[in-house]
């Protein structure tokens, strides 16, 4: 609460909502502006280039006579469609003269052309400007209407320029859209990944710099980080409580068993026999809770050694048969190339024994143990021939204290065997899964990696 009170209040410009509104407004404005500029600014800017040789051959003889050159006036028809656009005299009262129409619309262009050192040509709307032609320090500019081929060349240049500008705007907007998408999606994906980390038990999910942001995403990241810590604290406290209670119950339960063994009661005293069975059952629950607590808190040290899995399974079948011949006769170990693994024999034995006893406990038919190599994994399967499990309950089989589907059998176990096996499988680097077989019955599969 104190941290929440001390946290500075975000200002309106830190709000992601306002940022998105401004962002969408900017995108709309950019789109409208792009359309406007494409519509208005769609003409190629004319560029001067050296005068074509046919034009030079046509005009040069007409402008070599000094008397003719000095008599040229703006607007005068020189030859064919060629007219004088402007002139500059070396001396005189009217040194500069421009055609009235052209001077009004293109005065800056005409003056720039008169300052060129070389004779150039450039389209001006519907006409071609040519010059300057110089004789004795005097200069003139000539124009003529554009010809059909020149019209086509100009239209083609305008189309190419418009296409280039359109692609530029399209590419630029695409880059901006990608950057905006990354800016919006990356924090969401980071939060999603952090949520998965929390679901897997992480107390400090990787949020990068998201908690430092002062908008809604930053607030969410900070809340998510605090939630992860609270969940981890609660989970650890629950595990410690379960472990501590189990430890506290262990000693009095051991004393109760000793006292019951020393009690001088008749062998046919059913009340005493029931008390013994309940005491043994409670002691079994406590032992399994302690084992589960050790696995979940990483207190189990692996003792890896070469383990012949086939011999281990055979010994397991023999032990069950020795304790209960009826159950042992239901076990069927398939022949196969059972491997030698570098693993912890006690944990592997515990996993397989829990799975086998669970199958024997819940079904009446045979229970099969099978092995095969799948890719880079060892696959050990325990199959029964019972009624199977409802699909929606398969995932719950590995939850602590879940006691199976009541419709499958009337029997009820402690509910820790499969949960304990799954944790032990994870410690060995493997995984445990269950599915219903098409032929009927449940198959639990232990996958262990090749080492």
């Amino acid at each position: 609460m104190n941290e929440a009170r001390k946290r500075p209040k975000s200002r309106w410009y830190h709000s992601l909502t306002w940022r998105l509104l401004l962002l969408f407004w900017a995108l709309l404005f950019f789109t409208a502006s792009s359309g406007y500029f494409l519509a208005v600014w769609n003409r190629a800017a004319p560029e001067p280039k050296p005068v074509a040789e046919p034009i030079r051959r046509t005009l040069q003889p007409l402008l070599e006579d000094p008397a003719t050159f000095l008599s040229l006036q703006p607007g005068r028809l020189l030859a064919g469609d060629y007219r004088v656009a402007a002139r500059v005299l070396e001396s005189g009262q009217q040194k500069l003269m421009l055609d009235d129409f052209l001077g009004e619309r293109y005065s800056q262009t005409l003056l720039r052309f008169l300052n060129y050192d070389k004779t150039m040509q450039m389209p001006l709307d519907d006409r071609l400007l040519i010059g300057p032609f110089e004789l004795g320090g005097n200069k003139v500019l000539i124009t003529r209407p554009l010809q059909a081929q020149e019209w086509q060349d100009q239209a083609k240049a305008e189309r190419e320029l418009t296409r280039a500008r359109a692609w530029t705007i399209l590419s630029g907007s695409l880059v901006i859209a990608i950057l905006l998408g990354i800016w919006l999606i990356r924090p969401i994906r980071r939060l999603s990944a952090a949520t998965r980390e929390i679901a897997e038990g992480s107390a400090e999910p990787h949020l990068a710099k998201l908690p430092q942001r002062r908008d809604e995403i930053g607030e969410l990241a900070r809340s998510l980080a605090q939630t992860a810590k609270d969940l981890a604290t609660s989970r650890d406290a629950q595990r410690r409580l379960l472990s501590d209670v189990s430890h506290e119950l262990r000693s009095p339960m051991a004393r109760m068993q000793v006292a019951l063994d020393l009690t001088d009661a008749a062998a046919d005293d059913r009340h005493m026999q029931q008390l013994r069975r309940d005491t043994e059952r409670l002691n079994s629950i406590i032992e399994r809770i302690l084992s589960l607590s050790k696995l979940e808190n990483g207190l189990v040290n692996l003792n890896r050694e070469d383990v012949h899995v086939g011999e281990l399974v055979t010994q397991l079948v023999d032990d069950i048969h020795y304790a209960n011949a009826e159950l042992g006769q239901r076990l069927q170990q398939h022949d196969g190339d059972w491997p030698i693994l570098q693993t912890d024999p006690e944990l592997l034995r515990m996993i397989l024994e829990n799975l086998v006893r669970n199958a024997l406990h819940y079904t009446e038919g045979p229970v099969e143990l099978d092995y095969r190599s799948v890719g880079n994994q060892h696959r050990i399967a325990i199959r029964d021939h019972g009624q199977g499990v409802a699909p929606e309950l398969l995932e719950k089989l590995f939850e602590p204290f879940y006691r199976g589907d009541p419709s499958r059998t009337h029997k009820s176990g402690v509910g820790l065997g499969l949960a304990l096996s799954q944790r032990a499988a994870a410690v060995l680097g493997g995984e445990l899964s269950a599915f219903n077989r098409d032929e009927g019955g449940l198959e639990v599969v232990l996958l262990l990696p090749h080492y």
Side-chain angles (χ1 to χ4, degrees), residues 190-209:
R190 182 64 266 165
L191 290 172
S192 177
T195 304
R196 290 193 295 270
E197 293 175 17
I198 294 174
E200 294 172 358
S202 174
E204 296 182 355
H206 180 59
L207 291 167
K209 297 182 179 180

Side-chain angles (χ1 to χ4, degrees), residues 94-108:
Q94 292 184 327
K95 296 183 63 176
L96 174 64
M97 296 183 65
L98 305 177
D99 179 87
D100 293 339
F101 175 75
L102 295 178
E104 183 178 349
R105 298 184 61 183
Y106 309 110
S107 59
Q108 296 297 325

Side-chain angles (χ1 to χ4, degrees), residues 346-451:
E346 294 301 326
L347 277 183
L348 182 58
R349 162 77 184 233
M350 183 191 70
I351 295 172
L352 297 178
E353 185 168 358
N354 282 336
L355 298 180
V356 168
R357 291 190 180 278
N358 188 76
L360 293 172
H361 181 75
Y362 279 99
T363 64
E364 301 295 337
V367 174
E368 305 174 42
L369 293 95
D370 182 40
Y371 165 82
R372 69 172 181 266
S373 179
V374 180
N376 60 346
Q377 291 181 311
H378 300 286
R379 185 182 188 273
I380 303 174
I382 292 86
R383 293 190 290 267
D384 63 45
H385 294 266
Q387 299 176 6
V389 177
E392 64 272 12
L393 300 178
L394 284 173
E395 292 296 329
K396 294 185 178 181
L397 289 178
F398 301 101
E399 295 179 2
F401 300 105
Y402 179 73
R403 301 193 178 189
D405 185 3
S407 64
R408 188 182 179 206
T409 177
H410 66 281
K411 298 179 181 180
S412 178
V414 175
L416 286 173
L418 289 180
L420 189 61
S421 298
Q422 187 182 55
R423 269 58 165 192
V427 171
L428 294 179
E431 58 182 276
L432 203 60
S433 60
F435 60 91
N436 290 312
R437 301 166 58 219
D438 295 336
E439 302 85 356
L442 184 72
E443 181 167 342
V444 182
V445 176
L446 172 62
L447 293 176
L448 294 174
H450 281 281
Y451 287 106

